[in-house]
Amino acid sequence: MEPIKSFDQLTAHLMTLKKRKRIAVVCANDPNTEYAITRAVEEGIAELLMIGDSSILDKYQALKKYPEYVKIIHIEDSDEAAREAVRIVREGGADILMKGIINTDNLLRAILDKEKGLLPQGKVLTHLSVMQIPTYDKLLFFSDAAVIPRPTLQQRIEMIWYAIHTCHSFGIEQPRISLIHCTEKVSAKFPHSLDYVNIVELAEAGEFGDVIIDGPLDVRTSCEKASGDIKGIASPIDGEADVLIFPNIESGNAFYKGVSLFANATMAGLLQGPVCPVVLPSRSDCGLSKYYSIAMACLTCNKD
Amino acid sequence: MEPIKSFDQLTAHLMTLKKRKRIAVVCANDPNTEYAITRAVEEGIAELLMIGDSSILDKYQALKKYPEYVKIIHIEDSDEAAREAVRIVREGGADILMKGIINTDNLLRAILDKEKGLLPQGKVLTHLSVMQIPTYDKLLFFSDAAVIPRPTLQQRIEMIWYAIHTCHSFGIEQPRISLIHCTEKVSAKFPHSLDYVNIVELAEAGEFGDVIIDGPLDVRTSCEKASGDIKGIASPIDGEADVLIFPNIESGNAFYKGVSLFANATMAGLLQGPVCPVVLPSRSDCGLSKYYSIAMACLTCNKD
């Protein structure tokens, strides 16, 4: 498989598979979600289990053309809808879970329920995003801009594993993973930079398989060869990072929102850790971003 | 004075003043510094005291045309050169201090010397940057991507004061200052968001004069009105922030490096706190960025 380097290549690849994944959508009651799920059905990559208000089909006329791929389960209460969607996924009735306009905390509560939820015991819940940036020549994955405020060493290691698995799904055989800091100096003042030393040692010992992991590196040195050259830094990342692991949620979030706004980047993202991909968009995500997140879920979903 | 909204407007404004500021440049031994200082002399905004290797004029031929505006003080040892530059500034012999290729820590040691340095007792040392982003319709100031890892409440207040003074120099009468976080929610899990509540209260009580301060806000809501509208957030910043105050150095740095790389932004920056503006560029800053930093220093320098 050739590496997927853009969202167009991602959707083209999915369409060649001619296989619909089943998405359980909770409270799909907004125009951007409508755009995303309708396009996924039209392009033959998904079928829908819509859990929530059953009057939705009257609003979403375009979906009426695909009765065989759209099933509606009427549940008025959004918390109950979330629990039912989670139950369906657990029992194998859906491959992917997606949030509509339900409050994130309410859906997370159903996902994190110890007995009836979707997160296996001991698994780390985190968020992995991927951006298509017009000024970068491939997709750029990064974690975690949304869930874990200040990851522990163990959580960082899990974040890296999720990123590696996702890169493999995208056909990237040897992912280049950059551990982000402000500079290239390790310092006890910044405990994450000490974690990075541990992680690079693990990587060099072969713990993560065929990957290139380096850090601490800053964002520019990770993604622009010239920056490293000027500073005299010889990193095996060589300015071509596939993945950026941020030190904390504030830095991941500032990067994501700054670059998406000012560099016209397009974004997709998934919760990592649950037994199935979970599409958990922000209210302000555009329809295209929600659609690409579905596509990312269809690609990385394990069930065939 | 009309607000200065671009670096072109900044340099045009300085040229109308027909007043040269005197810059003490320590170890100006690299092509990007040469570009910056030569242009500042040619455009009539600066004269130079070059402290370091006296063979420099043989290399920098263009400066030979301006003997009346270039003075060289030969000091071989770079630490000694730093101390001499600081001494000259203290005694009123220069308005601005600029770093060439001396190690940042070595210049900082001379600046921070309690008896012979440039930082008045009790003053907070921090860094203020300004970016010109092709996709934003005015200059965007932000702090602190370079000096204070995790500011205290008092340090955040000082950072805001420095930004306000600088905005006033740029002709921005009522600066809009956004206190950055991942979301708009205040949470004890994120102590900086509690600081923000204090700061907004101080601002509402008139403590900072005629400013608009709001937070916590994310980067998008701060700089794009549509983001706030979609999320139903009514902030007086209204998507038109002049200043972003970041919660920690990692987030400021990730924003700065991500946006400068991927959105082709141009940057300038100055140390804040010392008795005079200090231009302290990174090795990887381009010549234009060093030049705009000199221009920012000339504008914000108090001495007439």
Side-chain angles (χ1 to χ4, degrees):
Chain A
M1 176 182 174
E2 281 288 298
I4 292 171
K5 292 191 162 190
S6 70
F7 286 133
D8 277 351
Q9 288 177 13
L10 168 61
T11 53
H13 172 76
L14 288 172
M15 285 163 75
T16 64
L17 301 180
K18 302 197 182 306
K19 177 93 187 88
R20 291 178 187 268
K21 302 288 182 180
R22 184 176 288 189
I23 311 176
V25 195
V26 185
C27 305
N29 199 13
D30 69 289
N32 291 348
T33 305
E34 177 193 2
Y35 167 83
I37 59 180
T38 303
R39 185 168 162 189
V41 169
E42 283 173 353
E43 293 186 346
I45 68 172
E47 57 186 64
L48 307 175
L49 257 179
M50 297 175 67
I51 301 144
D53 181 353
S54 67
S55 69
I56 207 84
L57 262 199
D58 294 332
K59 262 175 78 185
Y60 296 177
Q61 291 293 328
L63 282 178
K64 279 198 177 163
K65 286 189 277 175
Y66 306 93
E68 68 276 40
Y69 300 125
V70 181
K71 192 177 155 194
I72 295 207
I73 297 173
H74 180 88
I75 297 177
E76 201 68 43
D77 179 74
S78 63
D79 278 344
E80 210 178 302
R83 284 192 296 270
E84 177 61 10
V86 164
R87 192 192 63 75
I88 290 170
V89 169
R90 276 177 73 96
E91 296 186 352
D95 311 309
I96 293 162
L97 181 62
M98 179 172 183
K99 174 178 102 93
I101 57 139
I102 179 175
N103 194 305
T104 297
D105 291 345
N106 296 19
L107 185 58
L108 275 182
R109 203 176 307 130
I111 292 170
L112 295 177
D113 185 286
K114 284 203 176 122
E115 280 169 25
K116 296 176 185 168
L118 296 178
L119 189 72
Q121 208 189 344
K123 285 290 258 187
V124 169
L125 187 81
T126 177
H127 194 266
L128 179 68
S129 308
V130 55
M131 262 190 185
Q132 178 174 302
I133 310 171
T135 49
Y136 199 53
D137 68 356
K138 55 184 171 178
L139 293 170
L140 185 59
F141 297 82
F142 60 97
S143 189
D144 174 345
V147 174
I148 305 178
R150 249 153 289 284
T152 62
L153 172 60
Q154 195 51 45
Q155 286 172 327
R156 291 187 209 284
I157 289 171
E158 293 302 319
M159 285 158 67
I160 289 170
W161 270 119
Y162 294 137
I164 291 171
H165 292 319
T166 303
C167 282
H168 288 165
S169 300
F170 277 75
I172 302 163
E173 286 181 16
Q174 190 191 45
R176 293 167 183 245
I177 301 174
S178 191
L179 310 172
I180 298 297
H181 183 42
C182 311
T183 74
E184 284 68 43
K185 283 184 199 156
V186 174
S187 155
K189 264 200 284 185
F190 296 98
H192 58 262
S193 72
L194 304 177
D195 283 358
Y196 294 172
V197 174
N198 277 306
I199 292 169
V200 171
E201 277 173 10
L202 288 173
E204 284 170 355
E207 179 73 18
F208 296 102
D210 189 15
V211 297
I212 295 174
I213 301 187
D214 198 23
L217 290 174
D218 74 9
V219 170
R220 284 197 81 112
T221 309
S222 302
C223 300
E224 183 193 49
K225 188 166 160 35
S227 283
D229 291 346
I230 289 171
K231 293 199 272 185
I233 288 153
S235 164
I237 300 288
D238 210 25
E240 295 184 17
D242 294 296
V243 179
L244 310 181
I245 300 293
F246 282 96
N248 52 40
I249 196 172
E250 296 91 342
S251 53
N253 199 275
F255 172 83
Y256 148 43
K257 286 175 180 159
V259 174
S260 66
L261 177 60
F262 293 124
N264 297 313
T266 324
M267 226 260 325
L270 293 178
L271 271 190
Q272 305 289 312
V275 293
C276 76
V278 177
V279 182
L280 198 87
S282 321
R283 288 163 295 174
S284 60
D285 283 351
C286 64
L288 210 52
S289 165
K290 293 185 184 195
Y291 167 71
Y292 290 139
S293 298
I294 290 176
M296 181 183 179
C298 289
L299 183 74
T300 60
C301 177
N302 289 321
K303 287 175 196 155
D304 283 322
Chain B
M1 174 182 174
E2 282 288 299
I4 292 171
K5 292 190 162 191
S6 70
F7 286 133
D8 277 351
Q9 288 176 14
L10 168 61
T11 53
H13 172 78
L14 288 172
M15 285 163 76
T16 64
L17 300 181
K18 300 196 183 306
K19 176 94 188 89
R20 290 180 188 268
K21 302 287 181 179
R22 184 176 289 190
I23 311 177
V25 196
V26 184
C27 304
N29 199 12
D30 69 289
N32 290 348
T33 304
E34 176 192 4
Y35 167 84
I37 59 180
T38 304
R39 186 169 162 188
V41 169
E42 283 173 352
E43 292 185 346
I45 68 172
E47 56 186 64
L48 307 175
L49 256 179
M50 296 174 69
I51 301 144
D53 181 353
S54 67
S55 70
I56 206 85
L57 261 199
D58 294 330
K59 264 175 76 184
Y60 296 175
Q61 291 294 328
L63 282 179
K64 279 199 175 163
K65 287 189 277 175
Y66 306 93
E68 68 275 42
Y69 301 124
V70 181
K71 192 177 157 194
I72 295 206
I73 298 172
H74 180 89
I75 298 177
E76 201 68 41
D77 178 75
S78 62
D79 278 342
E80 210 178 305
R83 284 193 295 270
E84 176 62 9
V86 164
R87 192 192 65 74
I88 290 169
V89 169
R90 277 176 72 98
E91 296 186 352
D95 311 308
I96 293 163
L97 180 63
M98 179 172 183
K99 174 178 103 92
I101 56 138
I102 179 174
N103 194 307
T104 297
D105 290 345
N106 296 18
L107 184 58
L108 275 183
R109 201 175 309 129
I111 292 170
L112 296 177
D113 185 286
K114 284 204 177 117
E115 281 170 25
K116 296 176 185 166
L118 295 178
L119 189 71
Q121 207 189 347
K123 284 291 259 188
V124 169
L125 187 81
T126 179
H127 193 265
L128 179 69
S129 307
V130 56
M131 261 189 186
Q132 177 174 302
I133 310 171
T135 48
Y136 199 53
D137 69 355
K138 54 183 172 178
L139 293 171
L140 184 60
F141 296 83
F142 60 97
S143 188
D144 172 343
V147 174
I148 305 178
R150 250 152 289 284
T152 62
L153 173 60
Q154 195 52 44
Q155 286 172 328
R156 291 188 209 283
I157 289 171
E158 294 302 318
M159 286 157 67
I160 290 169
W161 270 119
Y162 295 137
I164 291 172
H165 293 319
T166 302
C167 282
H168 288 164
S169 300
F170 277 74
I172 302 163
E173 286 181 15
Q174 190 190 45
R176 291 168 184 244
I177 300 174
S178 191
L179 310 172
I180 298 298
H181 183 42
C182 311
T183 75
E184 284 69 43
K185 283 184 199 157
V186 174
S187 156
K189 263 200 285 185
F190 296 99
H192 58 264
S193 72
L194 304 177
D195 283 359
Y196 294 174
V197 174
N198 277 306
I199 291 168
V200 171
E201 277 173 9
L202 288 173
E204 283 170 356
E207 179 73 17
F208 297 103
D210 188 16
V211 296
I212 295 174
I213 300 187
D214 198 23
L217 290 174
D218 74 8
V219 169
R220 284 197 81 112
T221 309
S222 302
C223 300
E224 183 193 48
K225 188 167 157 37
S227 282
D229 291 347
I230 290 171
K231 295 198 271 184
I233 288 154
S235 164
I237 301 287
D238 211 25
E240 296 183 15
D242 295 295
V243 180
L244 309 182
I245 300 293
F246 282 97
N248 51 40
I249 196 171
E250 295 91 342
S251 53
N253 200 274
F255 172 83
Y256 147 43
K257 287 175 179 159
V259 173
S260 65
L261 176 60
F262 293 124
N264 297 313
T266 324
M267 227 258 328
L270 293 177
L271 270 190
Q272 306 287 312
V275 294
C276 75
V278 177
V279 182
L280 197 87
S282 319
R283 289 162 296 173
S284 61
D285 283 351
C286 63
L288 209 51
S289 165
K290 293 186 183 193
Y291 167 71
Y292 290 139
S293 297
I294 290 176
M296 182 183 179
C298 290
L299 182 73
T300 59
C301 176
N302 289 319
K303 286 176 197 155
D304 283 322

